Amino acid sequence: MEERLRQFAELVKHSDNIVFFGGAGVSTESGIPDFRSVDGLYNQQYEYSPETILSHSFFMQNPREFYRFYRNEMIYKGAKPSTTHLALAKLEREGKLKAVITQNIDGLHQMAGSNNVIELHGTVLKNHCMSCEQFYELDAVLNGEDIPRCSRCGGMIKPDVVLYEEGLNEKDLRDAVRYISEADVLIVGGTSLGVYPAAGLIHYYQGHKLILVNKSETAFDKKADLLINDALGTVFQTVMD
């Protein structure tokens, strides 16, 4: 493993066109659980699966239950950036990292200091009225009634997150494709690469320095030029040292 960490550090050191593509594993080190990996935890408290509750149709049909789950399980206001978040922000400041492309919705990359962040699945930090498009910050959802309502028109407030059954933002997808296709080094971390269309973005990488960091096996392991089955924090500590 030490040899792989050394190779990682060398690839990062000698590149000034790095792109990072990350998933839930980036934020689990900040104490935010990945609901797909927790056996039965949510099913003990909720009648429906997380995937059902976090769908557009469920949100529209049963917003009260949606918000009960959303407030309890999807928002971690006290979470702080992990070593990985901080290391990526450091690489951006040094001019080496061109973009962070994330499937997470927690805003921790920005909190760590990253500026060029493409949030494929949106963010909990932004919300809007479905009737008049009035913008609301997170507190409007946390402190609102069972179903948060717009103070201007009374319309229902919706988080700016991409729910199941909803499409990804086209501009975000185009930007992600461009950064990945132009990257010298592509680091993919903390994702099983099982959620599409986001996972399909890896196919646009045209280089030969694909680094895949994940504790468990993924369908793309054989495509990696450097495969590291270890914690992200351990790997990115090499950047901080």
Side-chain angles (χ1 to χ4, degrees), residues 11 53 61 97 101 150 159 176 205 235-236:
L11 285 169
I53 297 174
Q61 295 165 12
L97 183 78
I101 302 166
C150 177
Y205 179 59
V235 176
F236 275 95

Side-chain angles (χ1 to χ4, degrees), residues 40-217:
L41 175 62
Y42 299 133
N43 289 333
Q44 296 172 15
Q45 303 179 43
Y46 304 97
E47 185 177 349
Y48 306 92
S49 70
E51 288 83 359
T52 297
I53 297 174
L54 295 174
S55 67
H56 178 81
S57 57
F58 190 92
F59 171 76
M60 297 300 296
Q61 295 165 12
N62 197 344
R64 181 169 284 101
E65 182 67 5
F66 169 89
Y67 271 111
R68 185 168 78 92
F69 178 89
Y70 184 77
R71 290 187 179 104
N72 290 339
E73 313 295 354
M74 303 303 293
I75 299 174
Y76 290 82
K77 200 172 181 182
K80 302 297 182 184
S82 67
T83 298
T84 302
H85 293 110
L86 296 171
L88 291 168
K90 178 176 182 283
L91 290 174
E92 184 185 52
R93 290 194 301 273
E94 294 172 350
K96 301 177 73 62
L97 183 78
K98 301 309 179 187
V100 168
I101 302 166
T102 180
Q103 299 175 80
N104 298 331
I105 60 175
D106 48 52
L108 288 177
H109 283 294
Q110 291 91 332
M111 188 184 297
S114 291
N115 292 305
N116 193 17
V117 182
I118 300 173
E119 296 170 305
L120 294 175
H121 295 156
T123 174
V124 300
L125 302 181
K126 298 177 181 178
N127 308 271
H128 70 278
C129 172
M130 297 182 70
S131 297
C132 71
E133 296 296 326
Q134 173 75 17
F135 170 81
Y136 287 94
E137 295 184 352
L138 179 58
D139 284 345
V141 169
L142 288 177
N143 302 330
E145 301 297 329
D146 287 352
I147 302 173
R149 296 285 180 180
C150 177
S151 59
R152 184 164 70 180
C153 75
M156 184 164 65
I157 295 175
K158 181 185 183 298
D160 286 354
V161 298
V162 179
L163 302 176
Y164 290 99
E165 303 168 353
E166 295 179 342
L168 303 189
N169 180 280
E170 288 296 327
K171 181 181 183 303
D172 288 341
L173 279 174
R174 289 196 302 271
D175 288 345
V177 167
R178 176 170 60 85
Y179 279 112
I180 288 175
S181 64
E182 295 175 355
D184 171 36
V185 173
L186 176 62
I187 306 173
V188 180
T191 172
S192 62
L193 293 169
V195 178
Y196 285 81
L201 291 171
I202 195 172
H203 292 296
Y204 290 95
Y205 179 59
Q206 301 177 36
H208 302 284
K209 299 173 185 176
L210 172 60
I211 304 172
L212 182 54
V213 184
N214 203 54
K215 287 183 178 180
S216 57
E217 183 179 347

